[in-house]
């Protein structure tokens, strides 16, 4: 099924044999990918299933697809990986969302913190959701990571309740002194700061909330490098990159 164009649709309820593709996904199909009637496509409803379908009719604002079969997608990670990343300047948050999606992250939270100077608004969050969707299609995932925004670090840390491993990448930890990432198993949340980094107070808050400080070595990484590296390291340690 790998050569066929992939599109996300609303969650399908029950046994459905035809479905309309609408909105942005339709525009992308029609004007960018130039999908034609008779084309074989894949529809993804976020449940993890992949539906094979044939484009039966293209209308002005939607297309009708006939579903011909379904399989369970097998490219989703077995373990929950949640990235919490400080809001970054320019389009850096988009970069992180794109790469984290490729690396199999299941959820992404973006937060404001003490030394964070980037701002988020509704449009930017919508844009991040679109980036996640496009990235998920490109890397053949059948689910799109959920994206959430937190006004402060407290809310972001709270959203990590219940995860088996709670990791906090901290630039002022001495290298070698932090938590050993290779020891993890089970659902994992990784927090990475924005360009301004974290304050001592924020680090204390995180450890008091059950997070373990992680060092990424002796060099100070750019926030986007740190975020993407954390995703790769966690996914690797959990056996998700095999
Ligand atoms: N402005 C800060 C650097 C921030 S780097 C300074 O000048 O010190 C942005 C984020 O990347 C940090 O908050 C941390 O989460 C992560 N990071 C960067 N380098 C790191 C390292 N060596 N170890 C752990 N985390 C690191």
């Amino acid at each position: 099924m790998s050569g066929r164009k992939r599109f996300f649709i609303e969650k399908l309820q029950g046994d459905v044999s035809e479905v309309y593709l609408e909105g942005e996904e339709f525009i992308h199909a029609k004007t960018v990918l130039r999908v034609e009637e008779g084309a074989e496509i894949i529809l993804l409803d976020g449940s993890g299933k992949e539906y094979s379908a044939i484009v039966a009719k293209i209308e002005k604002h939607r297309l009708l697809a006939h579903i011909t079969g379904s399989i369970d997608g097998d490219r989703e990670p077995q373990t929950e990986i949640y990235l919490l990343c400080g809001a970054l300047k320019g389009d850096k948050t988009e970069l992180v969302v794109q790469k984290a999606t490729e690396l199999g992250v299941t959820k992404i939270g973006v937060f404001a913190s003490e030394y964070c100077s980037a701002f988020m608004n509704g449009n930017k969050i919508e844009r991040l959701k679109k980036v996640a969707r496009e990235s998920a299609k490109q890397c053949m995932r059948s689910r799109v990571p959920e994206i959430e925004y937190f006004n402060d670090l407290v809310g972001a840390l709270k959203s990590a309740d219940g995860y088996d491993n709670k990791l906090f990448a901290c630039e002022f930890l001495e290298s070698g002194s932090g938590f050993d990432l290779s020891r993890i198993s089970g659902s994992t949340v990784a927090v990475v700061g924005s360009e301004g980094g974290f304050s001592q107070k924020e680090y204390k808050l995180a450890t008091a909330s059950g997070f373990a400080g992680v060092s990424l070595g002796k060099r100070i990484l750019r926030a986007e490098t740190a975020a993407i590296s954390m995703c790769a390291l966690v996914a690797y340690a959990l056996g998700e990159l095999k």
Side-chain angles (χ1 to χ4, degrees), residues 169-171 191-198 214-217 219-223 226:
C170 187
E171 67 275 20
V191 185
V192 178
S194 62
E195 290 93 344
F198 290 119
V214 172
S215 165
L216 292 170
R219 292 164 297 278
I220 299 291
L221 307 178
R222 283 187 182 243

